[in-house]
């Protein structure tokens, strides 16, 4: 009725007004929704293979991939991220790439405009065995639309070697499939150290 709001008593401090068709007024006071909780879905050990996959991922709205000291046997290897082991040209990235050399050159700082078969996380320096650290977040992993991505990662050793790389980008994975697996791969040589962890939130 016209006075429905006046019949709803003041709620508990901190509660929010919520629609509820099962109540006489169609409204109720309820606890505000909390933030998302993340849980560890799987861990990949980066040794003995060029590609390591964490699978069995489902019904997750957001994914957080943390890269912890990834290293490959060959120098200057690019470390990439694939979803659902998809090698199609469905990955788009935009952002900045910074590369450290012995002396400054304008090409050391470049825009990243990539349309490829994986998300580039970064590259190792000119020394084999250098490590890459960082992370990537996937938004909308359980939807049939584009999955948005943000990442930042860097590869190299402190105060050692040239070609150390920092990559900061945003982009999307253009696929109707929901995410069921996450893979890290080395473009040159097998992984020889490091791990990556995949966290999810429904």
């Amino acid at each position: 009725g016209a006075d429905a709001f006046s019949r709803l008593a003041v709620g508990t401090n901190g509660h929010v007004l919520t629609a509820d068709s099962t109540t006489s007024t169609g409204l109720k006071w309820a606890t505000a929704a909390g933030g998302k909780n993340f849980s560890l879905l799987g861990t990949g050990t980066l040794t003995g293979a060029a590609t390591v996959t964490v699978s069995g991922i489902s019904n997750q709205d957001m994914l957080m991939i943390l890269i912890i000291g990834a290293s490959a046997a060959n120098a200057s290897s690019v470390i990439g991220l694939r979803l659902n082991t998809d090698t199609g040209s469905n990955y788009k990235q935009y952002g900045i790439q910074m590369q450290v050399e012995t002396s400054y050159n304008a090409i050391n700082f470049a825009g990243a405009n990539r349309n490829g078969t994986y998300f580039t996380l970064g590259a190792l320096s000119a020394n084999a065995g250098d490590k890459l650290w960082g992370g990537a977040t996937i938004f909308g992993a359980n939807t049939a639309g584009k999955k948005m991505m943000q990442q930042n990662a860097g590869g190299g050793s402190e105060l050692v070697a040239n070609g150390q790389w920092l990559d900061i980008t945003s982009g999307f994975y253009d696929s109707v499939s929901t995410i069921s697996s996450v893979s890290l791969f080395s473009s040159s040589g097998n992984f020889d150290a490091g791990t990556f962890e995949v966290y999810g939130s429904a």
Side-chain angles (χ1 to χ4, degrees), residues 40-114:
L40 180 63
L41 304 178
T43 300
T45 301
L46 299 172
T47 54
T51 300
V52 178
T53 300
V54 171
S55 57
I57 299 168
S58 62
N59 303 318
Q60 301 297 312
D61 177 51
M62 294 176 61
L63 297 173
M64 171 68 80
I65 301 103
L66 300 179
I67 301 95
I68 306 160
S71 175
N74 294 351
S76 303
S77 177
V78 174
I79 307 301
L81 169 68
R82 285 197 172 109
L83 305 172
N84 295 342
T85 64
D86 182 1
T87 58
S89 296
N90 298 315
Y91 303 83
K92 296 178 174 56
Q93 282 177 276
Y94 312 96
I96 59 172
Q97 170 190 317
M98 291 180 285
Q99 196 165 341
V100 179
E101 303 293 350
T102 54
S103 60
Y104 177 76
N105 188 299
I107 64 172
N108 296 158
F109 185 96
N113 182 0
R114 305 176 186 137

Side-chain angles (χ1 to χ4, degrees), residues 67 69-70 79 98 121-125 130-135 151-157 164-168:
I67 301 95
I79 307 301
M98 291 180 285
L121 296 175
L124 304 179
S125 78
D130 285 352
K131 301 182 188 311
L132 181 133
W133 307 79
Q151 65 88 215
N152 59 83
S157 290
Q164 302 190 65
W165 183 329
L166 174 64
D167 208 72
I168 303 171

Side-chain angles (χ1 to χ4, degrees), residues 11-16 29-32:
T12 303
N13 288 347
H15 283 193
V16 294
W29 295 102
T31 303

